[in-house]
């Protein structure tokens, strides 16, 4: 799971929580914590590639391992680094990239998507269908992440689509409107607390 430096993360979500920069940071951290909690409950190991000691601190005790993003900047470089690290530990396994902005995620939907992939290269498009929330390698294969604008089409070129009926898995929150959709699905505990404290969504 990739997490950007908190000073830059989720810029399109700015203003969804009151309290200026601190309120935004707390909302982003809450979303990350809920997404990590669901992932930890669903898969064998979760590695978070991040750029910020505050993320490491917030995830202490979560069951996820955190590593600093070394070398090249950018999302795909972070994911390739994490995937190589996991692959070195287990040459035959499936490795995956899961976006860290899925506050309604429930473990069963992630587990089901992995099961549906059944060891084949696979991806789950986001709610609008243009982006990607989950990318899975083939068993023993490379991750070859192609995140960025139009990533669903890029991944769909050689990966099968899975989890299409899983609304919570597909609900990444880029904007306040996305957060309202996630709230209707049911937010994880940390995000729900932030949203309640804010007294509103969006
Ligand atoms: N480690 C790392 N994570 C990244 C990087 N860029 C994006 N991410 C993470 O990748 C996921 C998907 O990114 P986006 O949905 O575009 O989120 P974002 O870049 O924080 O949001 P915007 O500022 O609104 O574009 C989020 O979990 C981000 O925190 C990066 O350069 N390094
Ligand atoms: C990185 C990008 O995420 P978005 O910014 O569309 O949520 C993607 O889905 O490839």
């Amino acid at each position: 799971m990739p997490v950007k430096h908190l000073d830059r993360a989720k810029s399109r979500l700015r203003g969804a929580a009151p309290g200026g920069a601190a309120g935004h940071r707390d909302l982003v951290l809450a979303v990350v914590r809920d997404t990590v909690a669901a992932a930890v409950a669903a898969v064998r190991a979760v590695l978070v590639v991040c750029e910020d000691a505050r993320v490491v601190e917030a995830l202490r005790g979560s069951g996820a391992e955190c590593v600093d993003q070394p070398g090249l900047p950018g999302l795909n470089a972070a994911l390739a680094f994490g995937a190589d690290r996991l692959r070195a530990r287990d040459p035959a396994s499936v490795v995956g990239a899961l976006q860290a902005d899925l506050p309604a995620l429930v473990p069963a939907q992630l587990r089901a998507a992995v099961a549906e992939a059944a060891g084949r290269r696979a991806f789950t498009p986001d709610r609008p269908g243009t982006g990607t929330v989950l990318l899975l390698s083939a068993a023993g294969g490379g991750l070859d992440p192609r995140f960025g604008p139009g990533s669903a089409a890029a991944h769909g070129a050689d990966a099968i689509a899975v989890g299409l009926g899983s609304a919570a898995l597909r609900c990444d929150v880029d904007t306040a409107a996305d957060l309202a959709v996630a709230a209707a699905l049911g937010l994880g505990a940390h995000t729900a607390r932030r949203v309640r404290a804010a007294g509103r969504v969006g």
Side-chain angles (χ1 to χ4, degrees):
M1 295 177 60
V3 181
K4 218 176 180 178
H5 194 282
L6 287 181
D7 293 346
R8 297 191 303 274
K10 293 283 120 198
S11 55
R12 288 166 282 172
L13 197 56
R14 262 181 214 292
H24 178 69
R25 185 196 59 221
D26 289 348
L27 176 62
V28 173
L29 278 178
V31 168
V32 169
R33 290 174 77 184
D34 282 332
T35 312
V36 165
V40 164
V43 301
R44 187 143 51 91
V46 174
L47 179 68
V48 176
V49 183
C50 60
E51 307 180 302
D52 194 317
R54 294 169 292 186
V55 174
V56 178
E57 184 56 38
L59 292 178
R60 209 173 290 283
S62 67
E65 179 188 349
C66 294
V67 289
D68 275 335
Q69 178 171 348
L72 295 174
L75 176 54
N76 287 316
L79 293 172
F81 168 78
D84 286 351
R85 196 161 167 137
L86 290 169
R87 168 64 67 237
R89 293 177 190 171
D90 187 347
S93 65
V94 169
V95 296
L98 179 71
Q99 301 286 30
D101 57 355
L102 311 172
L105 183 61
V106 286
Q109 291 192 0
L110 179 54
R111 252 186 253 121
V114 174
E116 188 182 347
R120 296 166 292 181
R121 178 168 171 79
F123 78 109
T124 303
D126 64 6
R127 197 167 55 87
T130 51
T132 303
V133 291
L134 173 70
L135 175 66
L136 298 172
S137 77
L143 186 61
D144 188 11
R146 303 166 193 169
F147 286 82
S151 64
H155 291 135
D158 62 358
I160 60 163
V162 296
L164 294 178
S166 293
L169 173 61
R170 297 185 64 183
C171 189
D172 57 347
V173 293
D174 291 328
T175 64
D178 294 333
L179 185 58
V181 174
L185 290 170
L187 293 168
H190 295 102
T191 310
R193 205 172 305 126
R194 292 301 327 155
V195 165
R196 260 200 313 275
R200 67 190 166 91
V201 178

Short mmCIF file of all heavy atoms in Angstrom, two decimals, residues 119-180:
data_model
loop_
_atom_site.label_atom_id
_atom_site.label_comp_id
_atom_site.label_asym_id
_atom_site.label_seq_id
_atom_site.Cartn_x
_atom_site.Cartn_y
_atom_site.Cartn_z
N GLY A 119 -4.74 -16.40 -8.72
CA GLY A 119 -3.34 -16.50 -9.16
C GLY A 119 -3.07 -15.89 -10.52
O GLY A 119 -1.95 -15.96 -11.03
N ARG A 120 -4.12 -15.28 -11.12
CA ARG A 120 -3.89 -14.60 -12.42
C ARG A 120 -3.66 -13.11 -12.18
O ARG A 120 -4.13 -12.55 -11.19
CB ARG A 120 -5.13 -14.77 -13.32
CG ARG A 120 -5.40 -16.21 -13.71
CD ARG A 120 -6.79 -16.38 -14.30
NE ARG A 120 -7.83 -16.16 -13.28
CZ ARG A 120 -9.14 -16.26 -13.50
NH1 ARG A 120 -9.58 -16.54 -14.71
NH2 ARG A 120 -10.01 -16.06 -12.52
N ARG A 121 -2.95 -12.45 -13.10
CA ARG A 121 -2.79 -11.00 -13.02
C ARG A 121 -4.19 -10.37 -13.10
O ARG A 121 -4.97 -10.68 -14.01
CB ARG A 121 -1.90 -10.52 -14.16
CG ARG A 121 -1.69 -9.02 -14.21
CD ARG A 121 -0.58 -8.67 -15.19
NE ARG A 121 -0.48 -7.25 -15.43
CZ ARG A 121 0.09 -6.37 -14.60
NH1 ARG A 121 0.66 -6.78 -13.48
NH2 ARG A 121 0.13 -5.09 -14.89
N ALA A 122 -4.50 -9.47 -12.15
CA ALA A 122 -5.87 -8.95 -12.05
C ALA A 122 -5.87 -7.54 -11.49
O ALA A 122 -4.91 -7.11 -10.85
CB ALA A 122 -6.69 -9.88 -11.15
N PHE A 123 -6.96 -6.83 -11.73
CA PHE A 123 -7.11 -5.49 -11.17
C PHE A 123 -8.57 -5.22 -10.88
O PHE A 123 -9.47 -5.85 -11.43
CB PHE A 123 -6.57 -4.43 -12.15
CG PHE A 123 -7.52 -4.13 -13.30
CD1 PHE A 123 -8.20 -2.92 -13.35
CD2 PHE A 123 -7.78 -5.08 -14.27
CE1 PHE A 123 -9.09 -2.65 -14.39
CE2 PHE A 123 -8.67 -4.82 -15.31
CZ PHE A 123 -9.32 -3.61 -15.37
N THR A 124 -8.79 -4.26 -9.97
CA THR A 124 -10.14 -3.80 -9.68
C THR A 124 -10.20 -2.32 -10.00
O THR A 124 -9.43 -1.52 -9.44
CB THR A 124 -10.49 -4.02 -8.19
OG1 THR A 124 -10.33 -5.40 -7.87
CG2 THR A 124 -11.93 -3.59 -7.90
N PRO A 125 -11.10 -1.93 -10.90
CA PRO A 125 -11.23 -0.50 -11.21
C PRO A 125 -11.91 0.25 -10.08
O PRO A 125 -12.67 -0.34 -9.30
CB PRO A 125 -12.11 -0.49 -12.47
CG PRO A 125 -12.84 -1.79 -12.47
CD PRO A 125 -12.00 -2.77 -11.70
N ASP A 126 -11.64 1.53 -9.99
CA ASP A 126 -12.33 2.35 -8.98
C ASP A 126 -13.79 2.57 -9.40
O ASP A 126 -14.23 2.09 -10.45
CB ASP A 126 -11.57 3.67 -8.75
CG ASP A 126 -11.53 4.56 -9.97
OD1 ASP A 126 -12.18 4.25 -11.00
OD2 ASP A 126 -10.82 5.59 -9.91
N ARG A 127 -14.53 3.28 -8.58
CA ARG A 127 -15.98 3.45 -8.80
C ARG A 127 -16.29 4.08 -10.16
O ARG A 127 -17.15 3.59 -10.89
CB ARG A 127 -16.55 4.27 -7.63
CG ARG A 127 -18.03 4.23 -7.45
CD ARG A 127 -18.39 4.81 -6.09
NE ARG A 127 -17.85 6.14 -5.91
CZ ARG A 127 -18.46 7.27 -6.28
NH1 ARG A 127 -19.64 7.23 -6.85
NH2 ARG A 127 -17.88 8.44 -6.08
N PRO A 128 -15.57 5.15 -10.57
CA PRO A 128 -15.84 5.69 -11.90
C PRO A 128 -15.39 4.77 -13.04
O PRO A 128 -15.81 4.95 -14.18
CB PRO A 128 -15.03 7.00 -11.92
CG PRO A 128 -14.72 7.30 -10.50
CD PRO A 128 -14.64 5.98 -9.80
N GLY A 129 -14.50 3.84 -12.74
CA GLY A 129 -14.08 2.88 -13.76
C GLY A 129 -12.82 3.29 -14.52
O GLY A 129 -12.36 2.55 -15.39
N THR A 130 -12.25 4.43 -14.20
CA THR A 130 -11.06 4.89 -14.92
C THR A 130 -9.76 4.59 -14.16
O THR A 130 -8.72 4.33 -14.76
CB THR A 130 -11.14 6.41 -15.18
OG1 THR A 130 -11.43 7.06 -13.93
CG2 THR A 130 -12.24 6.72 -16.19
N GLY A 131 -9.82 4.68 -12.85
CA GLY A 131 -8.65 4.42 -12.01
C GLY A 131 -8.63 2.98 -11.52
O GLY A 131 -9.49 2.16 -11.87
N THR A 132 -7.63 2.69 -10.69
CA THR A 132 -7.43 1.32 -10.18
C THR A 132 -7.32 1.37 -8.67
O THR A 132 -6.53 2.16 -8.14
CB THR A 132 -6.12 0.73 -10.76
OG1 THR A 132 -6.18 0.77 -12.19
CG2 THR A 132 -5.89 -0.69 -10.28
N VAL A 133 -8.07 0.53 -7.98
CA VAL A 133 -7.93 0.48 -6.52
C VAL A 133 -7.06 -0.70 -6.08
O VAL A 133 -6.47 -0.66 -5.00
CB VAL A 133 -9.30 0.40 -5.80
CG1 VAL A 133 -10.06 1.71 -5.95
CG2 VAL A 133 -10.13 -0.78 -6.28
N LEU A 134 -7.02 -1.75 -6.90
CA LEU A 134 -6.27 -2.97 -6.54
C LEU A 134 -5.63 -3.54 -7.79
O LEU A 134 -6.29 -3.65 -8.83
CB LEU A 134 -7.24 -4.01 -5.94
CG LEU A 134 -6.66 -5.40 -5.66
CD1 LEU A 134 -5.68 -5.35 -4.48
CD2 LEU A 134 -7.79 -6.39 -5.33
N LEU A 135 -4.35 -3.87 -7.68
CA LEU A 135 -3.65 -4.57 -8.76
C LEU A 135 -2.98 -5.79 -8.15
O LEU A 135 -2.29 -5.66 -7.14
CB LEU A 135 -2.61 -3.65 -9.40
CG LEU A 135 -1.72 -4.30 -10.47
CD1 LEU A 135 -2.53 -4.71 -11.70
CD2 LEU A 135 -0.59 -3.33 -10.88
N LEU A 136 -3.20 -6.95 -8.75
CA LEU A 136 -2.60 -8.19 -8.26
C LEU A 136 -1.69 -8.77 -9.33
O LEU A 136 -2.07 -8.82 -10.51
CB LEU A 136 -3.70 -9.22 -7.93
CG LEU A 136 -4.69 -8.82 -6.84
CD1 LEU A 136 -5.82 -9.85 -6.77
CD2 LEU A 136 -3.98 -8.72 -5.49
N SER A 137 -0.52 -9.23 -8.93
CA SER A 137 0.36 -9.93 -9.86
C SER A 137 -0.20 -11.32 -10.10
O SER A 137 -1.00 -11.84 -9.32
CB SER A 137 1.77 -10.04 -9.27
OG SER A 137 1.82 -11.06 -8.28
N ALA A 138 0.27 -11.95 -11.17
CA ALA A 138 0.08 -13.39 -11.27
C ALA A 138 0.95 -14.04 -10.18
O ALA A 138 1.92 -13.43 -9.72
CB ALA A 138 0.51 -13.87 -12.65
N ALA A 139 0.60 -15.24 -9.76
CA ALA A 139 1.43 -15.93 -8.76
C ALA A 139 2.85 -16.04 -9.30
O ALA A 139 3.07 -16.54 -10.40
CB ALA A 139 0.84 -17.31 -8.49
N GLY A 140 3.79 -15.50 -8.55
CA GLY A 140 5.19 -15.54 -8.96
C GLY A 140 5.58 -14.49 -9.99
O GLY A 140 6.74 -14.38 -10.35
N GLY A 141 4.61 -13.70 -10.46
CA GLY A 141 4.88 -12.72 -11.52
C GLY A 141 5.23 -11.34 -10.98
O GLY A 141 5.11 -11.07 -9.78
N GLY A 142 5.63 -10.46 -11.89
CA GLY A 142 5.93 -9.07 -11.51
C GLY A 142 4.65 -8.28 -11.32
O GLY A 142 3.60 -8.64 -11.86
N LEU A 143 4.74 -7.17 -10.60
CA LEU A 143 3.53 -6.35 -10.38
C LEU A 143 3.28 -5.43 -11.58
O LEU A 143 2.15 -5.22 -11.99
CB LEU A 143 3.68 -5.52 -9.10
CG LEU A 143 2.42 -4.74 -8.69
CD1 LEU A 143 1.25 -5.69 -8.41
CD2 LEU A 143 2.69 -3.86 -7.48
N ASP A 144 4.33 -4.87 -12.15
CA ASP A 144 4.24 -3.98 -13.31
C ASP A 144 3.13 -2.93 -13.13
O ASP A 144 2.16 -2.91 -13.91
CB ASP A 144 4.01 -4.81 -14.58
CG ASP A 144 4.10 -3.97 -15.84
OD1 ASP A 144 4.55 -2.80 -15.77
OD2 ASP A 144 3.69 -4.46 -16.90
N PRO A 145 3.25 -2.06 -12.12
CA PRO A 145 2.19 -1.09 -11.86
C PRO A 145 2.13 0.01 -12.91
O PRO A 145 3.16 0.52 -13.33
CB PRO A 145 2.59 -0.51 -10.49
CG PRO A 145 4.07 -0.69 -10.42
CD PRO A 145 4.39 -1.93 -11.21
N ARG A 146 0.92 0.36 -13.32
CA ARG A 146 0.73 1.41 -14.34
C ARG A 146 -0.29 2.42 -13.82
O ARG A 146 -1.25 2.76 -14.51
CB ARG A 146 0.23 0.77 -15.64
CG ARG A 146 1.17 -0.31 -16.16
CD ARG A 146 0.50 -1.16 -17.23
NE ARG A 146 1.30 -2.36 -17.50
CZ ARG A 146 0.86 -3.38 -18.22
NH1 ARG A 146 -0.34 -3.35 -18.80
NH2 ARG A 146 1.62 -4.46 -18.38
N PHE A 147 -0.12 2.84 -12.57
CA PHE A 147 -1.05 3.80 -11.96
C PHE A 147 -0.85 5.18 -12.56
O PHE A 147 0.21 5.49 -13.09
CB PHE A 147 -0.88 3.81 -10.44
CG PHE A 147 -1.45 2.57 -9.79
CD1 PHE A 147 -0.72 1.39 -9.74
CD2 PHE A 147 -2.74 2.58 -9.26
CE1 PHE A 147 -1.25 0.24 -9.17
CE2 PHE A 147 -3.27 1.44 -8.68
CZ PHE A 147 -2.53 0.26 -8.63
N GLY A 148 -1.90 5.98 -12.43
CA GLY A 148 -1.91 7.31 -13.04
C GLY A 148 -3.19 7.44 -13.85
O GLY A 148 -4.00 6.51 -13.86
N PRO A 149 -3.40 8.58 -14.51
CA PRO A 149 -4.63 8.76 -15.28
C PRO A 149 -4.87 7.62 -16.27
O PRO A 149 -3.95 7.19 -16.96
CB PRO A 149 -4.38 10.09 -16.02
CG PRO A 149 -3.37 10.80 -15.19
CD PRO A 149 -2.51 9.73 -14.57
N GLY A 150 -6.09 7.09 -16.26
CA GLY A 150 -6.42 6.00 -17.19
C GLY A 150 -5.82 4.67 -16.81
O GLY A 150 -5.68 3.77 -17.65
N SER A 151 -5.50 4.48 -15.53
CA SER A 151 -4.79 3.25 -15.15
C SER A 151 -5.64 1.99 -15.32
O SER A 151 -5.10 0.91 -15.53
CB SER A 151 -4.27 3.34 -13.72
OG SER A 151 -5.34 3.42 -12.81
N ALA A 152 -6.97 2.12 -15.24
CA ALA A 152 -7.81 0.92 -15.41
C ALA A 152 -7.62 0.35 -16.81
O ALA A 152 -7.46 -0.86 -16.98
CB ALA A 152 -9.28 1.24 -15.14
N ALA A 153 -7.61 1.21 -17.80
CA ALA A 153 -7.41 0.74 -19.18
C ALA A 153 -5.99 0.17 -19.33
O ALA A 153 -5.80 -0.86 -19.99
CB ALA A 153 -7.63 1.88 -20.16
N ALA A 154 -5.02 0.82 -18.69
CA ALA A 154 -3.63 0.34 -18.80
C ALA A 154 -3.49 -1.04 -18.17
O ALA A 154 -2.85 -1.93 -18.74
CB ALA A 154 -2.68 1.33 -18.14
N HIS A 155 -4.10 -1.24 -17.02
CA HIS A 155 -4.01 -2.55 -16.37
C HIS A 155 -4.86 -3.58 -17.11
O HIS A 155 -4.51 -4.76 -17.19
CB HIS A 155 -4.43 -2.43 -14.89
CG HIS A 155 -3.47 -1.65 -14.07
ND1 HIS A 155 -3.84 -0.68 -13.16
CD2 HIS A 155 -2.10 -1.67 -14.04
CE1 HIS A 155 -2.76 -0.15 -12.61
NE2 HIS A 155 -1.70 -0.73 -13.12
N GLY A 156 -6.00 -3.11 -17.64
CA GLY A 156 -6.90 -4.04 -18.34
C GLY A 156 -6.30 -4.61 -19.62
O GLY A 156 -6.81 -5.59 -20.16
N ALA A 157 -5.21 -4.03 -20.08
CA ALA A 157 -4.58 -4.54 -21.30
C ALA A 157 -4.08 -5.97 -21.12
O ALA A 157 -4.09 -6.76 -22.06
CB ALA A 157 -3.42 -3.63 -21.71
N ASP A 158 -3.64 -6.33 -19.90
CA ASP A 158 -3.16 -7.70 -19.71
C ASP A 158 -3.54 -8.30 -18.36
O ASP A 158 -2.95 -9.27 -17.91
CB ASP A 158 -1.64 -7.77 -19.90
CG ASP A 158 -0.89 -6.92 -18.88
OD1 ASP A 158 -1.55 -6.25 -18.06
OD2 ASP A 158 0.35 -6.93 -18.89
N ALA A 159 -4.57 -7.69 -17.70
CA ALA A 159 -5.03 -8.23 -16.41
C ALA A 159 -6.54 -8.40 -16.47
O ALA A 159 -7.22 -7.62 -17.16
CB ALA A 159 -4.65 -7.27 -15.27
N ILE A 160 -7.05 -9.38 -15.76
CA ILE A 160 -8.51 -9.55 -15.73
C ILE A 160 -9.10 -8.65 -14.65
O ILE A 160 -8.44 -8.34 -13.66
CB ILE A 160 -8.92 -11.02 -15.47
CG1 ILE A 160 -8.38 -11.53 -14.11
CG2 ILE A 160 -8.45 -11.92 -16.60
CD1 ILE A 160 -9.07 -12.78 -13.63
N ALA A 161 -10.32 -8.22 -14.84
CA ALA A 161 -11.00 -7.38 -13.85
C ALA A 161 -11.67 -8.28 -12.81
O ALA A 161 -12.32 -9.26 -13.16
CB ALA A 161 -12.04 -6.50 -14.53
N VAL A 162 -11.48 -7.94 -11.54
CA VAL A 162 -12.10 -8.69 -10.44
C VAL A 162 -12.74 -7.70 -9.47
O VAL A 162 -12.44 -6.51 -9.50
CB VAL A 162 -11.07 -9.58 -9.69
CG1 VAL A 162 -10.49 -10.65 -10.59
CG2 VAL A 162 -9.94 -8.73 -9.07
N GLY A 163 -13.64 -8.20 -8.66
CA GLY A 163 -14.25 -7.37 -7.61
C GLY A 163 -15.20 -6.32 -8.14
O GLY A 163 -15.45 -5.32 -7.45
N LEU A 164 -15.74 -6.54 -9.32
CA LEU A 164 -16.56 -5.48 -9.94
C LEU A 164 -17.82 -5.18 -9.14
O LEU A 164 -18.32 -4.06 -9.17
CB LEU A 164 -16.91 -5.86 -11.39
CG LEU A 164 -15.70 -5.92 -12.33
CD1 LEU A 164 -16.13 -6.34 -13.74
CD2 LEU A 164 -14.99 -4.56 -12.38
N GLY A 165 -18.33 -6.16 -8.40
CA GLY A 165 -19.54 -5.94 -7.60
C GLY A 165 -19.24 -5.47 -6.18
O GLY A 165 -20.17 -5.34 -5.37
N SER A 166 -17.98 -5.20 -5.88
CA SER A 166 -17.59 -4.86 -4.51
C SER A 166 -17.50 -3.35 -4.34
O SER A 166 -16.45 -2.72 -4.57
CB SER A 166 -16.24 -5.52 -4.17
OG SER A 166 -16.39 -6.91 -4.15
N ALA A 167 -18.62 -2.77 -3.91
CA ALA A 167 -18.72 -1.30 -3.87
C ALA A 167 -17.71 -0.68 -2.91
O ALA A 167 -17.12 0.37 -3.21
CB ALA A 167 -20.14 -0.91 -3.49
N ALA A 168 -17.49 -1.30 -1.77
CA ALA A 168 -16.59 -0.70 -0.78
C ALA A 168 -15.14 -0.76 -1.25
O ALA A 168 -14.36 0.18 -1.04
CB ALA A 168 -16.74 -1.40 0.56
N LEU A 169 -14.77 -1.87 -1.90
CA LEU A 169 -13.41 -1.99 -2.44
C LEU A 169 -13.18 -0.95 -3.53
O LEU A 169 -12.08 -0.41 -3.66
CB LEU A 169 -13.21 -3.41 -3.00
CG LEU A 169 -11.92 -3.70 -3.77
CD1 LEU A 169 -10.70 -3.50 -2.88
CD2 LEU A 169 -11.93 -5.13 -4.32
N ARG A 170 -14.21 -0.66 -4.29
CA ARG A 170 -14.05 0.25 -5.43
C ARG A 170 -14.15 1.72 -5.05
O ARG A 170 -13.91 2.60 -5.86
CB ARG A 170 -15.08 -0.10 -6.50
CG ARG A 170 -14.88 -1.50 -7.06
CD ARG A 170 -15.84 -1.78 -8.20
NE ARG A 170 -15.60 -0.90 -9.34
CZ ARG A 170 -16.33 -0.91 -10.45
NH1 ARG A 170 -17.35 -1.76 -10.55
NH2 ARG A 170 -16.06 -0.07 -11.44
N CYS A 171 -14.52 1.98 -3.78
CA CYS A 171 -14.81 3.37 -3.38
C CYS A 171 -13.58 4.08 -2.83
O CYS A 171 -13.43 4.24 -1.60
CB CYS A 171 -15.95 3.37 -2.35
SG CYS A 171 -16.55 5.04 -2.01
N ASP A 172 -12.68 4.52 -3.71
CA ASP A 172 -11.58 5.36 -3.25
C ASP A 172 -12.10 6.79 -3.08
O ASP A 172 -13.07 7.19 -3.73
CB ASP A 172 -10.36 5.31 -4.19
CG ASP A 172 -10.65 5.70 -5.62
OD1 ASP A 172 -11.83 5.80 -6.00
OD2 ASP A 172 -9.68 5.90 -6.39
N VAL A 173 -11.49 7.51 -2.14
CA VAL A 173 -12.00 8.86 -1.86
C VAL A 173 -10.99 9.90 -2.31
O VAL A 173 -10.00 10.18 -1.65
CB VAL A 173 -12.40 9.04 -0.37
CG1 VAL A 173 -13.60 8.16 -0.04
CG2 VAL A 173 -11.29 8.74 0.59
N ASP A 174 -11.26 10.45 -3.47
CA ASP A 174 -10.43 11.52 -4.01
C ASP A 174 -11.00 12.88 -3.66
O ASP A 174 -10.27 13.86 -3.58
CB ASP A 174 -10.32 11.38 -5.54
CG ASP A 174 -9.50 10.17 -5.95
OD1 ASP A 174 -8.56 9.81 -5.21
OD2 ASP A 174 -9.80 9.57 -6.99
N THR A 175 -12.32 12.95 -3.47
CA THR A 175 -13.02 14.23 -3.27
C THR A 175 -14.00 14.11 -2.10
O THR A 175 -14.31 13.00 -1.65
CB THR A 175 -13.82 14.61 -4.52
OG1 THR A 175 -14.86 13.61 -4.70
CG2 THR A 175 -12.96 14.66 -5.77
N ALA A 176 -14.54 15.25 -1.68
CA ALA A 176 -15.55 15.23 -0.62
C ALA A 176 -16.78 14.45 -1.06
O ALA A 176 -17.41 13.76 -0.25
CB ALA A 176 -15.93 16.67 -0.24
N ALA A 177 -17.12 14.52 -2.33
CA ALA A 177 -18.27 13.76 -2.83
C ALA A 177 -18.02 12.25 -2.70
O ALA A 177 -18.93 11.49 -2.33
CB ALA A 177 -18.55 14.13 -4.29
N ASP A 178 -16.78 11.82 -2.98
CA ASP A 178 -16.44 10.40 -2.80
C ASP A 178 -16.57 9.99 -1.33
O ASP A 178 -17.01 8.88 -1.01
CB ASP A 178 -14.99 10.12 -3.22
CG ASP A 178 -14.74 10.32 -4.71
OD1 ASP A 178 -15.68 10.17 -5.50
OD2 ASP A 178 -13.58 10.62 -5.05
N LEU A 179 -16.17 10.90 -0.44
CA LEU A 179 -16.26 10.58 0.99
C LEU A 179 -17.72 10.40 1.41
O LEU A 179 -18.04 9.53 2.23
CB LEU A 179 -15.59 11.70 1.81
CG LEU A 179 -15.49 11.48 3.32
CD1 LEU A 179 -14.72 10.20 3.66
CD2 LEU A 179 -14.81 12.69 3.99
N ALA A 180 -18.61 11.17 0.82
CA ALA A 180 -20.04 11.02 1.12
C ALA A 180 -20.55 9.66 0.64
O ALA A 180 -21.35 9.01 1.32
CB ALA A 180 -20.83 12.16 0.47
#
